[in-house]
Each structure stands twice: as structure tokens, then as C-alpha cells.
Amino acid sequence: GPGSAIFVIAKYDEAGRLLATDNTQSRAALGLAEIGGTLFAAGVGPSQDRATLAAFNLAPSLLWRYDAPLGETGYFSSVGGEPGAIYAVGTAFTPGTTGSEDYLIEKFDSNGNRQWRRVFGGAGSQNLRDVVVFRGRVFVVGDAKDAGASAVDASIFEVDPDDGSIIAELGSGAEDRSPDDRHPRSGP
């Protein structure tokens, strides 16, 4: 029933035989990445309204799990990074409020300690879908749909790895949004 589903991570050999499994008691995994020999699963926690990030060794066994604090609603759709700098991206929202979706990016260290959180966007719906770290530079991609609009714009940002501020907006549709829409609205 609702709330009872969990995601499971499994290890198989070359012949397809199941070797091991583990789970995080989380509701859904939406993204998975290997970073420095550790598997990271991003998704939605047991409450369905809070983002979760879990780290597994290659056995696989759960190393740690982060659940967003009460009051921080949203979900992670992807995870990426490099050892010591793990980034989870997704969507923050107000439950039951259409058009409240905003971009969400959080940075974690290798032990699951959150370094910072950024929520930003404007009127309408904004969602981050993926994150890539290339030579220490952080890029995120997503989509935005202005309130009342029928078209969805691609969104690509370069993010400052130290504080999550936007260095550059590279995606289409940026000319349709005011500069105020691109500034973070929440602190660390």
C-alpha cells in the first residue's frame, strides 16, 4: 500500500545471478551514480514529500542515508559529483500548490553531511533533472514552464561549487525570465 514501497539496490554477476541486495527504506529512487567507488541513489524519502540521498559500498551495503528535514519538501531526480563533493538535484515544492515547483540543488560531503542547499526559480514550474561535474565545474540541466505558458524551456546552469550560486545560465528561454528569477531564495 501507500508508503510501504521501498527501493532496492542489487548486485548481479555476469551470468545474471543475484549476489546481494540492500535497501534504504526510501520510497523511490530516481537517479543513481557511481562516484569514487561508492554508489549514490537519489530520490524520494519514506514520507513522499522529502528528498533522500543514500550511499552504498559496492557489496552493496548501505553506508548512510540523508533525509531532508521536516518542512523541506521536494525530491531528488539525479546525483553526480566527484569524491568529497556530491551534488543532488531535483525539485522543491509546496505540497498541494500547483506551480510551486522550484529548482533544487544540494551539496554533500562523502559522509552525507549537507554543505549547502539552494532553491531558486520564479513563477510557474522549474525542475532540475541532472547534474554533471567536469574538472571541478558544476553544470545542472532541467526545465521551466512559466505560469500560464504552454511551452517548456530547457534550463542549463553553471553552479558555483562553493555556495550554489548561479555562475551562468546557458539554457534556452533565459531571455523570457527576469534576472530576479535566477537568484537563490534560500540560504545554507
Side-chain angles (χ1 to χ4, degrees):
S4 63
I6 57 172
F7 70 77
V8 175
I9 190 164
K11 181 177 182 178
Y12 294 87
D13 66 13
E14 295 83 13
R17 289 184 296 267
L18 180 64
L19 300 176
T21 64
D22 202 345
N23 72 72
T24 66
Q25 301 298 316
S26 295
R27 187 168 180 81
L30 303 173
L32 182 69
E34 181 274 329
I35 302 167
T38 300
L39 295 174
F40 293 91
V44 181
S47 74
Q48 189 173 355
D49 286 338
R50 294 184 10 223
T52 189
L53 181 66
F56 297 87
N57 63 24
L58 299 180
S61 294
L62 181 67
L63 300 173
W64 54 260
R65 183 179 97 194
Y66 167 85
D67 290 314
L70 288 173
E72 291 184 6
T73 55
Y75 61 87
F76 293 137
S77 55
S78 186
V79 59
E82 54 194 15
I86 312 305
Y87 301 89
V89 299
T91 304
F93 59 88
T94 302
T97 305
T98 302
S100 68
E101 300 87 1
D102 284 321
Y103 300 118
L104 170 64
I105 182 169
E106 298 188 24
K107 180 180 180 181
F108 298 86
D109 67 16
S110 296
N111 296 315
N113 300 305
R114 184 167 71 177
Q115 305 300 296
W116 49 255
R117 177 182 197 255
R118 293 293 175 258
V119 175
F120 62 102
S125 178
Q126 297 86 35
N127 308 281
L128 289 178
R129 307 291 185 187
D130 206 358
V131 57
V132 174
V133 177
F134 179 71
R135 296 184 182 170
R137 296 173 70 187
V138 180
F139 298 91
V140 296
V141 62
D143 54 71
K145 182 177 178 184
D146 291 334
S150 59
V152 176
D153 292 325
S155 303
I156 304 171
F157 301 97
E158 182 176 0
V159 177
D160 187 315
D162 294 325
D163 65 10
S165 62
I166 303 304
I167 295 173
E169 183 170 357
L170 311 167
S172 66
E175 65 279 359
D176 298 331
R177 289 184 287 282
S178 72
D180 290 340
D181 289 345
R182 295 189 297 263
H183 295 293
R185 293 195 310 217
S186 64

